[in-house]
């Protein structure tokens, strides 16, 4: 989708070669305070695709805010082709309150496509879809794990689509998950409108994780280069991603205090002991063991667990050892002096 000469967001025009900060109105609070979604638009002088990069659809997921902040400040954007729409905080309400949800207790990422006359979540979803997503060819949605849960850097997408799969591989993280689309999600609403989208998961809610931030920034930049929006550049090292066609959570068999024995990125085999659960007196109540061979891509961090609670997210691969090697390569490549 080539952005037109009179490209607008929220009624504000952005010409070729311009960049603008736009406050996109949503609704007023009952205090009569106007709340708006902050949007940064940069248009290259030359034609190219239109892409959005957004963060904090869940208000407590902060890594993406920093990724977008660094992206906006990146010198490489001076040579941008096409149009970049960067939204560091979609759920501003949640960011203010350090919460995943909106004041109406709804999950914005289950409220798409929304409605102009619905709940607060529905109205915000409707505005974001109309003013941002519908004007794009591609999108990257930045997420973290939930509270007290960490996710290994990974991309989730419809990997059965050739173009989307090529974007996901270009992102440059070792783990790609062919994830089903959830009803009401931003990814579903974008797909319904022909917008190809990647979902980047990394880190934990309410925390900055430098490795996850660097991997995300590098990944977004890699995708922009892949789409021809930035000049191609030779990579220092090639990380060949592996596609997981299935994954699953291992759950606590009893309530108690967990002792975790495995970490994110660890390779596990069927029967491996991942954690033990004991009562407050130290008596063992349960053992959590792997049900297959794969890589830990998500993990609960808090040691207090309830029976049935998800503890370890395992992605199942045919070549888990190679995935582990590429995870180490990713970490080695993201050194403090890395230039994006």
């Amino acid at each position: 989708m080539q952005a037109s000469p009179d490209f607008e967001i929220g009624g504000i025009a952005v010409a070729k070669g311009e960049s603008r900060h736009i406050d996109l109105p949503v609704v007023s609070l009952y205090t009569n305070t106007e709340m708006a979604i902050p949007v940064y638009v940069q248009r290259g002088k030359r034609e190219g695709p239109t892409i959005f990069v957004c963060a904090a659809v869940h208000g407590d997921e902060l890594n993406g805010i920093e990724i977008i902040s660094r992206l906006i400040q990146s010198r490489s954007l001076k040579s941008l082709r096409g149009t970049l729409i960067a939204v560091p905080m979609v759920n501003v309400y949640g960011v203010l309150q350090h919460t995943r949800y909106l004041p109406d207790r709804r999950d914005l990422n289950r409220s798409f496509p929304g409605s102009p006359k619905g709940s607060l979540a529905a109205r915000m979803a409707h505005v974001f879809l109309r003013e941002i997503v519908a004007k794009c060819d591609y999108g990257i949605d930045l997420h973290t794990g939930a509270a007290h849960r960490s996710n290994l850097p990974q991309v989730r997408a419809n990997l059965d689509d050739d173009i989307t799969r090529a974007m996901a591989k270009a992102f440059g993280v070792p783990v790609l998950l062919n994830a089903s689309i959830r009803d009401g999600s931003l990814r579903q609403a974008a797909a319904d409108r022909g917008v190809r989208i990647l979902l980047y998961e990394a880190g934990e809610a309410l925390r900055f994780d430098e490795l996850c931030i660097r991997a995300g920034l590098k990944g977004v930049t890699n995708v922009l280069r892949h789409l021809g929006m930035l000049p191609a550049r030779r990579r220092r090292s090639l990380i060949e991603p592996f596609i997981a066609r299935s994954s699953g959570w291992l759950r606590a068999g009893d309530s108690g205090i967990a002792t975790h024995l495995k970490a994110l990125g660890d390779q596990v085999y069927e029967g491996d002991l991942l954690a033990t659960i004991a009562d407050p007196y130290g008596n063992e109540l349960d053992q959590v063991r792997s049900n297959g061979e794969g890589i830990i891509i998500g993990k609960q961090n808090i040691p207090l667990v309830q029976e049935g609670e998800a503890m370890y997210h395992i992605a199942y691969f045919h070549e888990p050892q190679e995935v582990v090697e590429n995870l180490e390569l990713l970490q080695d490549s993201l050194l403090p002096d890395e230039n994006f």
Side-chain angles (χ1 to χ4, degrees):
M1 181 185 301
Q2 304 291 342
S4 63
D6 56 347
F7 183 77
E8 291 186 356
I9 289 182
I12 297 176
V14 185
K16 288 184 177 180
E18 280 190 341
S19 61
R20 295 289 298 268
H21 291 86
I22 299 170
D23 290 326
L24 183 61
V26 185
V27 295
S28 296
L29 298 177
Y30 43 72
T31 58
N32 201 34
T33 302
E34 184 71 34
M35 296 295 289
I37 299 172
V39 179
Y40 173 82
V41 182
Q42 181 161 336
R43 297 192 64 194
K45 294 180 180 179
R46 294 172 292 178
E47 295 290 343
T50 301
I51 188 171
F52 74 87
V53 183
C54 69
V57 168
H58 294 133
D60 60 354
E61 299 181 0
L62 306 182
N63 275 339
I65 298 174
E66 181 65 13
I67 291 171
I68 290 177
S69 174
R70 296 185 191 185
L71 177 66
I72 291 171
Q73 297 300 321
S74 172
R75 295 189 300 271
S76 63
L77 290 188
K78 293 180 180 180
S79 55
L80 181 74
R81 288 176 178 262
T83 300
L84 169 67
I85 305 173
V87 187
M89 301 178 191
V90 181
N91 181 1
V92 178
Y93 305 90
V95 174
L96 286 171
Q97 297 297 320
H98 303 178
T99 180
R100 179 184 183 89
Y101 303 105
L102 287 158
D104 58 4
R105 296 302 300 165
R106 295 177 186 267
D107 185 334
L108 179 59
N109 209 29
R110 300 294 179 268
S111 302
F112 287 91
S115 165
K117 297 182 179 180
S119 66
L120 173 60
R123 290 171 188 242
M124 179 176 287
H126 172 75
V127 169
F128 189 76
L129 199 61
R130 181 193 68 207
E131 293 291 341
I132 306 296
V133 179
K135 300 179 181 180
C136 295
D137 304 291
Y138 308 101
I140 303 176
D141 186 16
L142 307 174
H143 285 263
T144 75
H148 307 307
R149 288 183 185 170
S150 294
N151 281 334
L152 193 75
Q154 61 194 263
V155 166
R156 303 178 183 181
N158 174 19
L159 302 179
D160 293 325
D161 176 74
D162 292 342
I163 295 175
T164 305
R165 185 172 63 253
M167 289 172 57
K169 286 185 174 182
F171 197 97
V173 291
V175 175
L176 307 182
L177 192 59
N178 194 35
S180 58
I181 295 178
R182 294 189 176 183
D183 291 342
S185 67
L186 171 58
R187 194 155 70 93
Q188 180 189 54
D192 288 346
R193 285 152 183 78
V195 180
R196 290 179 167 90
I197 185 168
L198 305 180
L199 191 151
Y200 173 65
E201 286 271 6
E204 180 185 3
L206 295 175
R207 301 287 186 271
F208 273 178
D209 184 305
E210 186 64 22
L211 175 64
C212 296
I213 291 168
R214 288 176 175 272
L217 176 58
K218 192 170 187 176
V220 172
T221 306
N222 286 343
V223 172
L224 294 178
R225 296 188 193 282
H226 168 75
L227 295 174
M229 299 181 70
L230 293 178
R233 191 177 74 178
R234 185 177 179 182
R235 297 188 192 180
R236 294 180 183 177
S237 57
L238 179 64
I239 294 176
E240 179 63 31
F242 287 82
I243 297 175
R245 292 287 173 177
S246 64
S247 69
W249 281 93
L250 300 180
R251 299 179 179 274
D254 211 328
S255 300
I257 300 171
T259 298
H260 291 277
L261 305 175
K262 296 292 184 179
L264 281 179
D266 281 355
Q267 178 181 358
V268 295
Y269 298 90
E270 184 174 358
D272 279 358
L273 182 62
L274 309 184
T276 59
I277 300 173
D279 66 18
Y281 304 102
N283 300 308
E284 187 175 290
L285 303 173
D286 186 41
Q287 294 182 343
V288 181
R289 293 184 178 274
S290 177
N291 60 356
E293 185 176 3
I295 302 296
I296 298 175
I297 62 170
K299 175 182 171 293
Q300 178 176 318
N301 296 324
I302 191 169
L304 308 176
V305 298
Q306 294 290 336
E307 183 178 1
E309 193 167 5
M311 294 182 64
Y312 291 92
H313 191 190
I314 310 294
Y316 303 107
F317 295 94
H318 294 300
E319 307 90 358
Q321 182 57 46
E322 295 182 50
V323 180
V324 171
E325 291 172 358
N326 276 347
L327 289 170
E328 294 171 354
L329 179 60
L330 173 68
Q331 187 165 358
D332 290 343
S333 69
L334 296 174
L335 299 174
D337 61 350
E338 179 76 62
N339 292 317
F340 296 98

